[in-house]
Amino acid sequence: MYLFGYGSLINLNSAQKSFKRKISYKDLIPVKIKGLKKVWNAIEVVDFDDEKQVNTVFLNLQKDENSYANGVVVKITEDELELLKLREKNYSNIIIDKKNVTNMTLDEDIITFMTTNEEKIAKKTNTDCVIASKYIDILTNSFENYDDEFVKEYKQQTLSNFPFELKEGTYKFSDPIQNKLAKEGVNEQK
């Protein structure tokens, strides 16, 4: 099966934290998927160095027949999917028809993570939400590994007109298992 990553999973260092096997940028295949768009509205509660329990907004997907989202696909196993579910705990598993990939042909449908729980979706009127600047860094630090077209489209779709204030500082997820799989790594010993 394939997994579509459109946020921190486009960054090899970030993605590697949820895989026991070694992956490389060759495993992260750039794709365009029609019928979806990236939006800033998935709420996670995180702890910043200077403030705890902050509603922090991360990327999400939204159905939109007139749009497409770029990101990457990576071939995964059932065991890897189970670890990724722990990392992406507030997201639902969504199946994407392989025919919706516009720039290549895949032999299987794709799984992705999308927040569908209304309680975890930020509205533009939410004044208590922020976007972590360090999350933006995770996204942009991956750009050197992709071609100019991918980076240009990604920036246009994702990194303009942020709907919430950016917050500086290091953060960690409040949930310890989620934090381990997103920030520390499945292979790291404590």
mmCIF file with all atom_site columns, all heavy atoms in Angstrom, residues 42 89 103:
data_model
loop_
_atom_site.group_PDB
_atom_site.id
_atom_site.type_symbol
_atom_site.label_atom_id
_atom_site.label_alt_id
_atom_site.label_comp_id
_atom_site.label_asym_id
_atom_site.label_entity_id
_atom_site.label_seq_id
_atom_site.pdbx_PDB_ins_code
_atom_site.Cartn_x
_atom_site.Cartn_y
_atom_site.Cartn_z
_atom_site.occupancy
_atom_site.B_iso_or_equiv
_atom_site.pdbx_formal_charge
_atom_site.auth_seq_id
_atom_site.auth_comp_id
_atom_site.auth_asym_id
_atom_site.auth_atom_id
_atom_site.pdbx_PDB_model_num
ATOM 1  N N   . ALA A 1 42  ? -5.927 21.506 11.235  1.00 0.00 ? 42  ALA A N   1
ATOM 2  C CA  . ALA A 1 42  ? -5.910 20.338 12.121  1.00 0.00 ? 42  ALA A CA  1
ATOM 3  C C   . ALA A 1 42  ? -5.311 20.727 13.474  1.00 0.00 ? 42  ALA A C   1
ATOM 4  O O   . ALA A 1 42  ? -4.131 21.049 13.566  1.00 0.00 ? 42  ALA A O   1
ATOM 5  C CB  . ALA A 1 42  ? -5.104 19.205 11.492  1.00 0.00 ? 42  ALA A CB  1
ATOM 6  N N   . LYS A 1 89  ? -2.485 10.607 15.375  1.00 0.00 ? 89  LYS A N   1
ATOM 7  C CA  . LYS A 1 89  ? -3.597 10.072 16.169  1.00 0.00 ? 89  LYS A CA  1
ATOM 8  C C   . LYS A 1 89  ? -4.917 10.815 16.022  1.00 0.00 ? 89  LYS A C   1
ATOM 9  O O   . LYS A 1 89  ? -5.960 10.240 16.229  1.00 0.00 ? 89  LYS A O   1
ATOM 10 C CB  . LYS A 1 89  ? -3.200 9.977  17.636  1.00 0.00 ? 89  LYS A CB  1
ATOM 11 C CG  . LYS A 1 89  ? -3.104 11.306 18.339  1.00 0.00 ? 89  LYS A CG  1
ATOM 12 C CD  . LYS A 1 89  ? -2.860 11.117 19.817  1.00 0.00 ? 89  LYS A CD  1
ATOM 13 C CE  . LYS A 1 89  ? -3.248 12.394 20.502  1.00 0.00 ? 89  LYS A CE  1
ATOM 14 N NZ  . LYS A 1 89  ? -3.968 12.234 21.695  1.00 0.00 ? 89  LYS A NZ  1
ATOM 15 N N   . ASN A 1 103 ? 0.192  12.661 -11.962 1.00 0.00 ? 103 ASN A N   1
ATOM 16 C CA  . ASN A 1 103 ? 1.511  12.731 -12.590 1.00 0.00 ? 103 ASN A CA  1
ATOM 17 C C   . ASN A 1 103 ? 2.214  11.390 -12.719 1.00 0.00 ? 103 ASN A C   1
ATOM 18 O O   . ASN A 1 103 ? 3.364  11.333 -13.169 1.00 0.00 ? 103 ASN A O   1
ATOM 19 C CB  . ASN A 1 103 ? 2.416  13.713 -11.819 1.00 0.00 ? 103 ASN A CB  1
ATOM 20 C CG  . ASN A 1 103 ? 2.665  13.274 -10.396 1.00 0.00 ? 103 ASN A CG  1
ATOM 21 O OD1 . ASN A 1 103 ? 1.769  12.798 -9.704  1.00 0.00 ? 103 ASN A OD1 1
ATOM 22 N ND2 . ASN A 1 103 ? 3.904  13.437 -9.946  1.00 0.00 ? 103 ASN A ND2 1
#
